[in-house]
Amino acid sequence: MPSLFPRLRFSRFGPPEQVIALEQTDRPAPQANRLLLQMRYAPINPSDLIPIYGQYAHRIALPQVPGYEGTGVVVDSHGQPTGRRALAIMGDGSWQTFITLEHDKVIWLPDDIDDISAAQIYINPLTCWVLLTQWLPLNAGDILLINGGGSAISLLFSQLAALRGIKLVVVVRNAAHRQALLNAGAWRVFERDLLQQYRLQQLTGHAARAAIDCVGGEDGLNLARSVSVSGDFVALGLLGNQQVDWQHIAHQLRLRASLFHLRKWNAQATSEQWQAAFQQLFQLLRRGQLVLRPPAAIYPLQHYKLALQHAADSKTQGKVFFTLE
C-alpha cells in the first residue's frame, strides 16, 4: 500500500476550480471512538461548492477538505479493508482517500444497497424526507408548492410527496422539465411566468398548504402568495442569490416562515431519528419507490478540474462523482 494518498483541499475562498488543490497526505492515525473509512465514491453537490466560494466563511476553518457525502469501506488499524461499508457523512470531508467517523453517527450500508445510490442519499433525499415527514405538518391530500423545478431535488420531492399522498405543484422556468416531473409523481407543473400572473387558487381551485422556496427573491415571494393564510413557507435554497422579503411573508401574507438547514436538523435529531430516517430511505430504494439518477460521469480525484467543469455544465443530467478506487 502506498504511504501517501490523494485528497482535495482549499486554503482560501473563491471559484472551486481556482482554489482547490490536489495534495498527497498520510493515512490518518487510529483514534479512539472513531472509525477509519477508505472512500469509494463521493458526488459533487451544489452544497459542496457553496462553502468553497466563501458563503459560510464565518464558520469554516481553513484549510478545508470539501464534500458532504459519499460511501467507503471501514479499514482496520493496519489499513486493511474490513469489507464493511458505511456512509461518508458527518466526517472530515469526503473528497479524499480516508476520513474518520464518530461511532455513534455511523450509518452502516446494507449489502443490498449499491455504493453509487448510497453515496447520494444524504444531502438531497434526507432533506426531502425530513421536510415532508417532520418539518412540515402535511397530510395526504394537502397541496405543497415548490420552485426550482429544474433542480435534481425537485424530482426527489415529486417521488416522496406522491408516496405520502401529498399533491406537489412544481414551478419551472423551462417547460422541458415538465414531463419528467409528472412522471416522477408531481401533481401539477406550472411555468414560472404563469405563477407570476395568477395565484395557485386561480389555476387549480385551491391554495397551497405550504411552500418550499429554492430560489429566493421575487420568485420566492410569488410562491408565498399562493399559500393559504397561516400556512408554512420554508426557504431551502437561494438559486437566485437574493433573499425573500421575510417581513412581507410573515406579516402581510401571515405565513409561518422558516429557514431549513440539514445540519441544524442533524444537530437536534436523536440517534434513533437519525438512524430511522436512513433506514426508511434504504427501504424505499429497495422497493424502487425512490429512484436516483445514475451518475453523469465518474472521475478519479486527480482529474478534479474536469469533474468540476462537468458538474458546472447546465446540461449535465445526474451527479458527477469522484472515485477513490
Side-chain angles (χ1 to χ4, degrees):
M1 181 175 282
S3 58
L4 295 175
F5 304 90
R7 71 178 177 190
L8 298 178
R9 198 164 69 147
F10 62 102
S11 300
R12 59 189 176 92
F13 300 114
E17 68 278 5
Q18 296 180 20
V19 301
I20 290 177
L22 180 69
E23 302 177 344
Q24 300 293 322
T25 186
D26 295 319
R27 185 177 72 231
Q31 301 178 50
N33 299 319
R34 294 186 77 88
L35 290 176
L36 185 61
L37 201 68
Q38 185 168 358
M39 292 297 302
R40 285 184 170 174
Y41 296 99
I44 299 175
N45 291 300
S47 57
D48 297 319
L49 304 178
I50 290 171
I52 301 172
Y53 281 103
Q55 274 90 331
Y56 305 141
H58 63 284
R59 59 178 173 84
I60 292 179
L62 297 176
Q64 187 87 197
V65 174
Y68 287 127
E69 65 180 336
T71 53
V73 60
V74 175
V75 298
D76 61 24
S77 58
H78 303 291
Q80 297 302 310
T82 64
R84 196 170 191 192
R85 299 175 301 148
L87 297 186
I89 55 177
M90 306 295 286
D92 314 310
S94 59
W95 297 3
Q96 58 184 328
T97 307
F98 292 99
I99 72 167
T100 63
L101 300 173
E102 293 182 19
H103 278 278
D104 61 352
K105 282 290 188 180
V106 171
I107 303 294
W108 297 109
L109 186 53
D111 292 340
D112 60 346
I113 304 296
D114 66 276
D115 278 317
I116 290 292
S117 296
Q120 54 183 319
I121 204 167
Y122 172 52
I123 294 295
N124 285 341
L126 184 62
T127 292
C128 294
W129 186 252
V130 170
L131 280 166
L132 292 174
T133 63
Q134 299 181 35
W135 196 267
L136 289 170
L138 296 171
N139 299 309
D142 286 342
I143 296 176
L144 172 64
L145 181 61
I146 69 169
N147 55 16
S151 62
I153 201 169
S154 62
L155 289 171
L156 298 174
F157 270 120
S158 297
Q159 295 177 66
L160 295 176
L163 283 175
R164 297 185 61 79
I166 296 165
K167 296 178 178 179
L168 186 72
V169 179
V170 186
V171 180
V172 298
R173 288 175 178 262
N174 188 340
H177 299 296
R178 175 184 173 83
Q179 197 57 51
L181 290 162
L182 291 172
N183 292 345
W187 180 57
R188 297 283 190 276
V189 178
F190 294 124
E191 291 185 51
R192 171 179 175 251
D193 292 346
L194 190 62
L195 202 69
Q196 287 179 326
Q197 299 177 44
Y198 303 99
R199 300 293 171 259
L200 187 65
Q201 189 161 5
Q202 295 172 279
L203 297 172
T204 68
H206 302 279
R209 170 65 186 78
I212 297 174
D213 174 33
C214 300
V215 180
E218 192 63 27
D219 288 84
L221 202 55
N222 282 332
L223 213 66
R225 292 184 179 118
S226 283
V227 178
S228 58
V229 172
S230 299
D232 288 272
F233 177 89
V234 180
L236 178 60
L238 207 61
L239 293 173
N241 294 318
Q242 287 188 333
Q243 291 287 342
V244 294
D245 187 337
W246 290 101
Q247 292 295 321
H248 185 85
I249 289 171
H251 299 299
Q252 273 70 49
L253 301 180
R254 291 180 287 165
L255 303 183
R256 286 191 297 269
S258 63
L259 181 62
F260 182 83
H261 285 300
L262 185 57
R263 65 182 179 85
K264 291 185 178 179
W265 180 82
N266 292 342
Q268 58 86 32
T270 65
S271 178
E272 291 76 16
Q273 289 174 318
W274 173 255
Q275 294 289 338
F278 283 102
Q279 295 310 314
Q280 288 165 329
L281 291 172
F282 289 149
Q283 187 67 3
L284 294 177
L285 281 175
R286 288 189 187 98
R287 294 172 177 169
Q289 294 173 310
L290 175 62
V291 178
L292 304 176
R293 284 177 171 174
I298 301 175
Y299 291 86
L301 210 59
Q302 59 265 35
H303 293 163
Y304 69 95
K305 289 189 177 182
L306 290 175
L308 290 169
Q309 290 172 6
H310 197 156
D313 188 338
S314 61
K315 297 178 182 178
T316 298
Q317 298 293 310
K319 292 187 184 299
V320 174
F321 279 73
F322 291 119
T323 180
L324 282 298
E325 291 191 317

